[in-house]
């Protein structure tokens, strides 16, 4: 089959690789219909996530058709049209049973790698480095899905393939960001980053009862989409003094809930950005926590900072004094797809959530590198590969 | 070492049973005889050391065994012949490894699976086979690393004896005299508080084959060995909780076939690349 493989930093190639096979009884094989790029892939391609190997197939946000099931797959069957959560979870361990699927004890065959770096391991993730399991990703004609009964959800009638694909990752991530923020009636929610994840966090914040949503980015088109599809007020952080703007917009209080949908590759034109970039370059710091710092400073006393933007290693100069003395609550994590997907379908069917506008560009796998270039430069919201052809 | 930390088993009050100082951890080769075995052993040893896997460990153990039959001297042949040309009566310190994991299953179920010793090779990948000889005694066969030396040397085998057992609570065993790697161990099964499943605590002690110098070399393997015990426990947990062991072996990638088809890649036990580590930590 064809697959988009990592060959080095900034170097992806479409290659011929063997078709996947069932390796464990709870596996299924999917024919991939759509497979989307995600901001998380950029961290890998740009070299910020270690243990990516030459030949690894990327991609973790996908939907398709079940073509084969293992002997222990009970619910799924051949021909089912499904979307699969980007995080792999067994459903049986104590974390899975308390719905914290991204903390699954059993789905990461390379748990020891993460354990070394983090003190404990987290779940396996499709196409997301060997520390997160080394699973082959979805930018391919076919993909093997472990624990398929847990991870694959049959797409209800009335939800198009073009919307469903994002239920894999961008939608549950944005939704979990809003869920973790613990939004109370009357709250103002500030959201950093208007990529796919941020856009979904905006829509979800309304569902969770926000009175106001303020979206922050510097890409005019993305800010426009946040206004149009998210009914958010927007701030271009490259054009305003962000701290001042947020404080004055909220009568001097600061936003009640601050959500980071940017993560380790945040940009700005400030001195801090170049400082972090330089440290990152010489490996003194692995992540650029610009948004995290902003969120902590802006957040009102007693408020919540909810983090779904990904961090991988060490960050520097976190204003811990501000967080402590303002009594902030921090909530964070990789998304628990299996927990949220059923209720997301419901929100989508009832028109409360609509991810379809994230689908800005359809491409063939052969154009993989080109697609990621466009996406990396923020020239398109999300490139979606159609292995079956783009016609 | 002078300021070594208190062993975990001590904290947990486990593992008082020391492995028999029989086999290779004793010294019975005289000085003049020693030098001869050293060369061949050293070759195996260095080969095994480069393989950061348990197979490699065993290979190094066999190499170390030959080397130190030479350099520090124990020879099972000598022992069997009742020959002891050595003066001093030296016994090598045991090395200890302790690891725990919590399994989301009732204690009885966890104990039962483990006590059926034939099950162990299903999650202890370095074992080829265990045969129960009688209710207390079993025969263990371990795999050497997958390489030409290993093929010549065959497998490492020993007998073990359960010397203490309380149903659903603990199993204590010891290798019987003459094992190539003298070892002893204890596994405890404890209810985790608040219905959080079963804690499995494993403590394994082994005597490095071949004198104090052997001990120094085997210590190099300790992180690997610790890693291996943890991996074993993790696979045990996966099997019990999900009925399968998570794997990517045999999946597709843009790498060559031979890269992918390694039965148990040594990278599984190897350390994270340095470049990567600096990022992750
Ligand atoms: N927790 C999870 O499970 C999970 C799942 C998916 C994605 N993610 C993470 O969420 C983040 C966003 O993903 P995405 O797909 O939307 O990425 P994306 O690259 O499409 O969007 C990121 C956006 O952040 C903006 N940005 C950069 N610096 C900023 C700053 N200082 N302030 C405000 N905005 C800034 C960029 O202009 C861009 O529009 C990434 O870090 C990704 O890894 C996490
Ligand atoms: Zn993602
Ligand atoms: Zn689990």
């Amino acid at each position: 089959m064809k697959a988009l493989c990592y060959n080095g930093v900034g170097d992806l190639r479409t290659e011929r690789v063997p078709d996947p096979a069932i390796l464990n009884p709870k596996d299924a094989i999917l024919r991939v219909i759509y497979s989307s790029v995600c901001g998380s892939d950029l961290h890998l391609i740009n070299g910020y996530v270690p243990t990516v190997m030459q030949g690894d197939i990327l991609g973790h946000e996908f939907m398709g058709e079940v073509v084969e099931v293992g002997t222990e797959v009970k619910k799924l069957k051949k021909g089912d049209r499904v979307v699969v959560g980007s995080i792999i979870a067994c459903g049986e361990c104590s974390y899975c049973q308390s719905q914290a699927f991204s903390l699954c004890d059993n789905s990461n065959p390379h748990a020891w790698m993460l354990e070394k770096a983090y003190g404990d391991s987290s779940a396996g993730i499709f196409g997301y480095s060997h520390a997160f399991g080394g699973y082959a990703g979805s930018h391919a004609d076919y993909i093997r899905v472990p624990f398929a009964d847990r991870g694959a959800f049959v797409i209800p009638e009335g939800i198009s393939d073009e919307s469903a694909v994002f239920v894999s990752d961008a939608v549950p991530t944005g939704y979990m960001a809003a869920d973790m923020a613990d939004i109370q009636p009357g709250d103002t929610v500030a959201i950093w980053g208007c990529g796919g994840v941020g856009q979904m966090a905006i829509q979800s914040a309304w569902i969770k009862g926000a009175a106001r949503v303020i979206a922050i980015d510097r890409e005019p088109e993305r800010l426009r989409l946040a206004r149009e599809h998210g009914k958010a007020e927007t701030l271009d952080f490259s054009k305003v003094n962000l701290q001042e703007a947020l404080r004055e917009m909220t009568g001097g209080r600061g936003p009640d809930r601050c959500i980071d949908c940017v993560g380790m590759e945040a940009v700005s034109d400030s001195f801090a950005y170049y400082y972090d970039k330089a440290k990152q370059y010489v490996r003194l710091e692995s992540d650029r926590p610009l948004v995290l710092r902003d969120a902590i400073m802006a957040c009102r006393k007693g408020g919540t900072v909810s983090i779904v933007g990904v961090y991988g290693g060490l960050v520097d100069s976190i204003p811990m004094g501000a967080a402590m003395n303002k009594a902030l609550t921090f909530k964070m994590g990789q998304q628990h797809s299996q927990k949220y997907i059923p209720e997301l379908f419901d929100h989508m069917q009832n028109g409360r959530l609509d991810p379809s506008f994230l689908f800005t560009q359809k491409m063939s796998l052969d154009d993989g590198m080109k697609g990621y270039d466009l996406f990396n430069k923020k020239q398109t919201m999300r490139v979606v590969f159609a292995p079956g052809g783009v016609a | 070492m002078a300021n070594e930390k208190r062993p975990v088993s001590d904290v947990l009050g486990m593992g008082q049973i020391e492995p028999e100082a029989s086999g290779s951890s004793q010294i019975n080769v005289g000085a003049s005889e020693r030098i001869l075995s050293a060369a061949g052993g050293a070759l195996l040893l260095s080969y095994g050391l480069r393989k950061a896997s348990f197979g490699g460990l065993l290979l190094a153990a066999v190499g170390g065994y030959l080397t130190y039959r030479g350099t520090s001297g124990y020879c099972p042949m000598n022992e069997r012949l009742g020959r002891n040309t050595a003066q001093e009566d030296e016994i090598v310190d045991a090395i200890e490894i302790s690891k725990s994991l919590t399994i989301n299953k009732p204690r009885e179920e966890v104990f039962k699976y483990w006590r059926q010793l034939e099950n162990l090779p299903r999650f202890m990948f370095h074992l080829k086979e265990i045969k129960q000889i009688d209710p207390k005694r079993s025969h263990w066969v371990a795999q050497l690393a997958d390489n030409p030396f290993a093929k010549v040397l065959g497998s490492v085998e020993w007998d073990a004896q359960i010397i203490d057992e309380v149903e659903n609570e603990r199993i204590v065993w010891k290798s019987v005299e003459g094992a190539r790697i003298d070892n002893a161990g204890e596994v405890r099964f404890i209810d985790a508080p608040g219905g959080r499943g079963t804690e499995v605590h494993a403590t394994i002690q082994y005597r490095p084959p071949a004198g104090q110098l052997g001990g120094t070399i085997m210590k190099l393997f300790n992180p690997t060995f610790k890693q291996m015990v943890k991996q074993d426990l993790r696979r045990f947990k996966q099997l019990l909780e999900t009925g399968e062991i998570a794997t990517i072996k045999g999946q597709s990638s843009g790498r060559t076939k031979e890269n992918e088809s390694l039965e148990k890649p040594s990278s599984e036990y190897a350390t994270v690349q340095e470049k990567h580590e600096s990022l992750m930590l």
Side-chain angles (χ1 to χ4, degrees):
Chain A
M1 66 169 182
K2 255 188 209 171
L4 187 59
C5 301
Y6 176 89
N7 271 276
V9 173
D11 180 7
L12 305 181
R13 298 180 202 167
T14 308
E15 298 175 19
R16 287 250 151 229
V17 304
D19 284 354
I22 302 266
L23 300 178
N24 262 333
K26 294 180 174 174
D27 292 354
I29 306 287
L30 245 67
R31 178 177 67 81
V32 178
I33 296 173
Y34 283 132
S35 180
S36 174
V37 303
C38 167
S40 299
D41 301 331
L42 298 178
H43 312 323
L44 273 68
I45 297 166
N46 297 336
Y48 295 110
V49 174
T51 72
V52 187
M53 283 167 68
Q54 177 272 324
D56 285 348
I57 304 172
L58 296 185
H60 58 260
E61 186 165 25
F62 63 103
M63 55 78 57
E65 181 198 344
V66 178
V67 292
E68 202 184 334
V69 293
T71 51
E72 287 298 314
V73 173
K74 308 282 189 226
K75 289 191 271 180
L76 284 187
K77 42 183 201 321
K78 251 184 168 165
D80 280 348
R81 184 177 71 117
V82 296
V83 58
V84 179
S86 57
I87 308 256
I88 304 168
C90 78
E92 314 291 340
C93 70
S94 58
Y95 290 105
C96 283
Q97 293 198 338
S98 60
Q99 304 267 292
F101 292 97
S102 71
L103 306 181
C104 176
D105 268 341
N106 294 322
S107 63
N108 184 348
H110 299 155
W112 63 271
M113 288 189 188
L114 273 191
E115 198 169 53
K116 227 169 132 68
Y118 297 161
D120 203 344
S121 82
S122 66
I125 303 180
F126 290 102
Y128 197 68
S129 87
H130 286 261
F132 289 87
Y135 288 99
S138 56
H139 294 336
D141 289 323
Y142 297 94
I143 184 171
R144 165 190 169 233
V145 177
F147 302 116
D149 274 340
R150 300 293 178 165
F153 292 80
V154 174
I155 301 164
E157 288 303 313
I159 295 180
S160 68
D161 292 354
E162 287 75 12
S163 281
V165 60
F166 304 115
V167 176
S168 174
D169 195 55
V171 190
T173 305
Y175 191 79
M176 172 157 143
D179 191 27
M180 290 191 300
D182 192 24
I183 298 167
Q184 303 296 314
D187 276 354
T188 299
V189 181
I191 296 172
W192 276 257
C194 296
V197 172
Q199 300 286 345
M200 292 301 104
I202 295 168
Q203 294 192 4
S204 304
W206 294 119
I207 295 174
K208 295 289 170 188
R212 271 177 92 183
V213 178
I214 303 171
I216 304 154
D217 205 309
R218 69 170 180 188
E219 302 296 333
E221 175 59 11
R222 292 185 171 198
L223 290 170
R224 186 187 69 76
L225 289 169
R227 284 190 297 271
E228 189 181 312
H229 294 274
K231 311 272 173 291
E233 300 166 61
T234 57
L235 283 175
D236 180 338
F237 69 85
S238 68
K239 302 237 166 73
V240 297
N241 178 327
L242 187 65
Q243 291 297 330
E244 208 174 88
L246 286 171
R247 200 149 297 276
E248 301 319 316
M249 284 170 85
T250 52
R253 300 185 306 276
D256 303 276
R257 317 291 161 190
C258 293
I259 298 180
D260 174 354
C261 296
V262 180
M264 65 169 103
E265 288 187 75
V267 293
S268 87
D269 48 14
S270 67
F271 169 73
Y273 168 69
Y274 292 100
Y275 170 80
D276 285 319
K277 181 100 182 156
K279 288 193 79 171
Q280 217 169 17
Y281 186 72
V282 298
R283 300 289 189 245
L284 277 173
E285 182 177 44
S286 55
D287 304 349
R288 296 193 300 261
L290 297 165
V291 168
L292 196 49
R293 286 180 201 142
D294 270 354
I296 293 170
M297 292 308 288
C299 196
R300 78 142 160 91
K301 290 183 280 187
T304 305
V305 176
S306 166
I307 308 163
V308 290
V310 164
Y311 295 88
L314 299 180
V315 295
D316 184 26
S317 303
I318 292 301
M320 204 57 204
M324 194 278 164
N325 291 291
K326 293 203 293 181
L328 302 185
T329 299
F330 282 28
K331 291 258 194 101
M332 62 193 90
Q334 299 280 359
Q335 57 113 350
H336 307 307
S337 12
Q338 290 84 343
K339 169 179 177 181
Y340 292 113
I341 287 176
E343 67 189 88
L344 294 177
F345 283 151
D346 186 59
H347 287 311
M348 286 165 70
Q349 283 174 312
N350 290 293
R352 290 183 291 263
L353 256 176
D354 178 15
S356 59
F357 72 100
L358 301 181
F359 199 121
T360 46
Q361 200 120 8
K362 180 149 83 169
M363 283 193 175
S364 94
L365 278 179
D366 294 317
D367 292 329
M369 191 68 245
K370 203 168 108 202
Y372 271 103
D373 272 342
L374 278 179
F375 179 58
N376 203 6
K377 293 188 188 127
K378 318 291 174 212
Q379 285 166 357
T380 187
M381 180 63 85
R382 253 164 157 73
V383 173
V384 181
F385 300 111
V390 288
Chain B
M1 255 167 272
N3 57 349
E4 237 167 54
K5 298 213 174 79
R6 201 174 148 211
V8 179
S9 65
D10 193 28
V11 179
L12 299 172
M14 297 173 58
Q16 279 92 349
I17 310 297
E18 291 235 323
E20 205 79 53
S22 73
S24 50
S25 49
Q26 240 178 11
I27 292 176
N28 69 353
V29 182
S32 57
E33 234 181 285
R34 292 179 180 184
I35 304 153
L36 295 169
S37 322
L43 183 65
L44 287 181
L45 181 69
S46 65
Y47 192 93
L49 277 173
R50 269 184 285 125
K51 296 239 149 193
S53 67
F54 187 69
L57 169 81
L58 287 178
L59 199 64
V62 175
Y65 162 82
L66 290 178
T67 309
Y68 293 105
R69 187 203 172 278
T71 58
S72 79
Y74 160 78
C75 171
M77 289 286 269
N78 278 1
E79 181 161 291
R80 237 162 275 156
L81 294 170
R83 213 157 55 113
N84 188 346
T85 43
Q87 305 296 317
E88 63 281 69
D89 194 16
E90 209 182 319
I91 292 175
V92 185
D93 288 344
I95 295 172
E96 180 196 293
I97 286 161
S98 291
K99 283 286 168 198
S100 322
L101 214 60
T102 302
I103 298 180
N104 193 21
K105 287 284 172 190
R107 188 152 50 89
E108 296 68 28
E109 194 179 322
V110 179
F111 179 89
K112 200 169 147 208
Y113 194 93
W114 189 294
R115 182 61 184 84
Q116 189 67 45
L117 298 179
E118 277 92 350
N119 282 335
L120 301 190
R122 290 191 65 192
F123 59 90
M124 297 182 172
F125 283 175
H126 60 285
L127 293 177
K128 209 186 280 172
E129 190 184 27
I130 297 180
K131 267 196 216 121
Q132 195 85 43
I133 301 168
D134 62 40
K136 295 288 173 200
R137 202 173 168 116
S138 50
H139 182 71
W140 297 53
V141 184
Q143 251 154 354
L144 290 175
D146 191 14
N147 63 57
F149 290 126
K151 290 206 175 76
V152 176
L153 290 162
S155 46
V156 176
E157 311 195 11
W158 68 92
D159 282 358
Q161 179 89 16
I162 290 180
I163 54 177
D164 184 18
E165 177 179 3
V166 181
E167 201 184 349
N168 300 333
E169 279 179 27
R170 64 203 189 111
I171 305 170
V172 185
W173 77 90
K174 206 170 173 177
S175 60
V176 302
E177 271 200 48
R180 203 171 261 173
I181 304 177
D182 293 322
N183 63 86
E186 174 172 355
V187 189
R188 281 202 190 172
F189 305 84
I190 301 169
D191 288 331
R196 286 171 170 78
T198 305
E199 293 179 8
V200 179
H201 297 271
T203 286
I204 293 160
Q205 299 195 355
Y206 63 98
R207 288 192 195 280
Q212 290 298 358
L213 190 49
T216 312
I217 287 172
M218 294 307 272
K219 272 193 183 136
L220 294 177
F221 271 108
N222 229 28
T224 306
F225 200 44
K226 259 190 194 160
Q227 189 66 55
M228 188 200 81
V229 174
K230 184 70 190 270
Q231 288 289 84
D232 286 348
L233 288 180
R234 222 191 303 266
R235 283 188 289 255
F236 177 51
K237 174 182 162 78
Q238 290 177 1
L239 261 183
L240 281 175
E241 289 184 352
T242 77
E244 61 184 47
I245 292 171
T247 186
I248 58 163
K249 243 164 278 154
Q251 76 172 7
S252 24
S253 83
R255 286 182 290 280
T256 55
K257 252 243 167 70
E258 58 178 15
N259 266 349
E260 289 296 342
S261 64
L262 289 176
E263 242 296 89
K264 270 149 243 157
S266 60
S267 64
E268 195 178 349
Y269 302 131
T271 45
V272 180
Q273 281 177 28
E274 223 170 276
K275 168 178 138 238
H276 289 152
E277 206 164 22
S278 66
L279 261 178
M280 299 291 282
L281 292 170

